[in-house]
Structures are given as structure tokens and as C-alpha cells.
Amino acid sequence: MSTVKIFSDSTSDLPQGWKDTFNIGIVPLYVVFEEGTYKDGEDITPEEVYRRVAASGVLPKTAAPSPADFIAAFHPVISRGDDIVYISLSSSLSSTYQNALLAAGEFPEGRVQVIDSQTLCGGIALLVMKAVRAAEKGYSAIEIAAMLKQSRNLVETEFVVDTLDYLYMGGRCSGMQNFIGSLLKIRPVLRLVDGSIVPTSKIRGKKEKAVEQMLQNALVNVDRMDKELLIVVHTLAEEDAHYLETAIREKTQVNEIAILNAGCVIGSHCGPHTVGLMYMLQD
């Protein structure tokens, strides 16, 4: 029976320890400045991205891995006889999923299963870890793919940005126009719905109020929350992240809370001082 290797892309923002321990493959997206193109998580840091944006006032572009990038990553695994499950950034936000599908078509049918996560960042990480556990139990790539297509609908992803400038300039967030007029007074809580980012709450005042609203939104689901793993993600917002971790530990029975640092691609669209909560609901 073939071993199944789990792949994702760099927008999953998995910590290096998880990637090493569970042998998770990562295909990086690209961050593109006028002076050069960099691999997310390999050639440039989020701090450098924010520094350049602050200096120039211009956001970098981001680009999906090409089909050739995916083929290069997948080929050694398939050649040694193993199968692959690849979990992508939401297809509503990037062409990464489509390019992975094109690459999968270059291998024997069924050997590479490509799953649209319909989420981002820590939401992808939750699905990756679910896939890793299934692979360890001996599930086939086809079985894991079928499970993920059901599980992705149970992922809850919300986040609070410190400024809407990055999302608005990047053009990646539907519904943002409704907030531009009151940008200085209103902080939205943003949520992934059917793979796209939409505002769910309008909070007036300090960012802390929006973070608290996001926490309360999660606690409404505490009885349905999968207690195995909850993820807090941030971009240079350690204080907010640790506040959420502490509050969640006090008010839930979650077994593990992981704090992840969002990478360059996520940071390029959300900006610094963003914080998010990602968890799964039980079936």
C-alpha cells in the first residue's frame, strides 16, 4: 500500500516544527516587488515586506506557484511510489488551486488529490493536520480527499486587521467598499464565507473591541467546537494573540492552541498587526 504524503502551500503558514515532524511538503507562492521576485517563506520575511511597503506606499503583488513548480515538487514523491494529497489556498483568492490541478493531470490518475481548502492560513493548517492524522492511520489519498471535502465546510475562520489599507489596495476582499467611507471609525471582523472574505461585524473604536468581538463569535460555538486543535494566527500582533490564547484556555476545553506567525503572502494582503482565530466545528 502506498504511503500518502500531505502537501500544502506557503499560505498555510505551518510552523517549521510541524513540517519537519510530519513530513509535510510546502509549495511556496511568490511575493513580487518591482526589484525582484521572492519565494514566500524562503527568500523574504514578513517584516521586510512591511518595511518596504511603509517606505514605498506600494504593495507587492503575489503570484501562485506555476504548474511546473507543482510538478517539480510532486514528481519525486510519485516516482518513489507514494501518493499525494495537496491542500490549497482558497480558489476564490488565488489561481494556486487551478495550477495544482493542472500539475496533477500530468501524473497517473488518482495519484495526486488536489483539495480546495476554501480558506486560508490557519484554516488550511487545520485541514493539513487532519489529513496528516488520517495518513498516519493508513487512509488512502482518495479517502483523505473525500474526508477533507466534508471537513472544509466545518472550518471557521475570522480575523481582525489593524488597517484596511492592505486588503483594499490588494483588491482581494469582497465587500470592502462598504467600509472605506468610515475606515477611520470602524474596525470590521472579517470572515471566510464560501472561500471569500466578507465583513461580519462593524466595531467602532479601538482594535481591542474588534478582537473581543471575534472571541465572542467563537465562544458562541463552544459546544460545537472541535476541541482537538484551535489556531491563533497573527502578523506582529503577539499581545493580541496571547490574549486570545489565554481567554480561550479559560473558557473552553480545547486540547491544543497553536499560535502561528502569518507569512509574507498573507501579510501582504492583511498587513501588520492582524490577528485571527481558526477552529473546526464537530460533524
Side-chain angles (χ1 to χ4, degrees):
M1 181 179 295
S2 298
T3 298
V4 178
K5 181 177 175 67
I6 307 303
F7 272 84
S8 188
D9 54 64
S10 58
T11 65
S12 61
D13 294 326
L14 295 166
Q16 190 62 47
W18 291 8
K19 289 183 282 188
D20 293 341
T21 299
F22 302 108
N23 191 29
I24 300 166
I26 297 294
V27 183
L29 276 75
Y30 294 95
V31 178
V32 184
F33 285 96
E34 184 175 339
E35 66 274 18
T37 298
Y38 306 88
K39 289 183 178 180
D40 182 19
E42 296 183 14
D43 302 331
I44 191 170
T45 66
E47 291 80 3
E48 177 65 13
V49 170
Y50 307 142
R51 187 193 66 77
R52 293 189 185 200
V53 173
S56 67
V58 178
L59 286 183
K61 297 183 183 300
T62 57
S66 69
D69 290 333
F70 282 109
I71 291 171
F74 294 162
H75 184 267
V77 178
I78 298 300
S79 294
R80 67 172 181 250
D82 293 338
D83 293 337
I84 289 170
V85 173
Y86 167 73
I87 306 166
S88 83
L89 173 64
S90 171
S91 62
S92 297
L93 302 175
S94 170
S95 61
T96 301
Y97 170 71
Q98 286 80 5
N99 289 351
L101 278 179
L102 290 172
E106 297 299 311
F107 298 99
E109 185 175 358
R111 298 291 305 279
V112 179
Q113 299 291 318
V114 179
I115 302 299
D116 178 2
S117 73
Q118 298 181 355
T119 186
L120 50 71
C121 202
I124 303 174
L126 288 169
L127 293 174
V128 167
M129 295 311 297
K130 193 173 185 69
V132 164
R133 289 190 288 268
E136 289 177 339
K137 293 177 181 177
Y139 284 74
S140 70
I142 292 174
E143 290 170 333
I144 295 171
M147 175 197 67
L148 292 174
K149 288 176 182 177
Q150 294 182 327
S151 297
R152 66 187 176 187
N153 299 319
L154 300 172
V155 176
E156 294 289 317
T157 299
E158 287 196 340
F159 58 100
V160 174
V161 296
D162 192 48
T163 171
L164 291 178
D165 290 348
Y166 277 66
L167 283 169
Y168 183 63
M169 286 190 291
R172 294 299 183 102
C173 190
S174 63
M176 281 300 96
Q177 293 82 356
N178 295 330
F179 289 100
I180 298 306
S182 54
L183 178 59
L184 299 179
K185 296 180 181 178
I186 296 177
R187 294 182 184 274
V189 178
L190 304 169
R191 185 183 183 198
L192 265 289
V193 177
D194 296 328
S196 297
I197 302 171
V198 299
T200 60
S201 303
K202 302 178 184 180
I203 307 301
R204 294 187 180 276
K206 294 183 178 180
K207 176 187 172 188
E208 287 78 7
K209 291 175 63 178
V211 173
E212 184 63 30
Q213 181 63 59
M214 180 173 64
L215 172 62
Q216 295 307 315
N217 291 349
L219 293 177
V220 167
N221 291 321
V222 67
D223 291 338
R224 294 187 59 208
M225 190 181 288
D226 187 328
K227 305 303 192 297
E228 187 67 27
L229 173 64
L230 182 145
I231 291 177
V232 178
V233 178
H234 72 96
T235 60
L236 305 183
E238 291 186 4
E239 186 174 340
D240 291 327
H242 287 295
Y243 164 73
L244 288 170
E245 178 190 25
T246 300
I248 291 164
R249 288 196 186 281
E250 290 176 350
K251 298 175 182 181
T252 74
Q253 300 298 316
V254 173
N255 294 332
E256 180 181 359
I257 301 173
I259 297 180
L260 309 186
N261 296 298
C264 296
V265 168
I266 297 299
S268 293
H269 294 294
C270 295
H273 313 302
T274 294
V275 64
L277 273 178
M278 293 85 179
Y279 59 93
M280 294 189 70
L281 299 175
Q282 294 176 330
D283 294 332

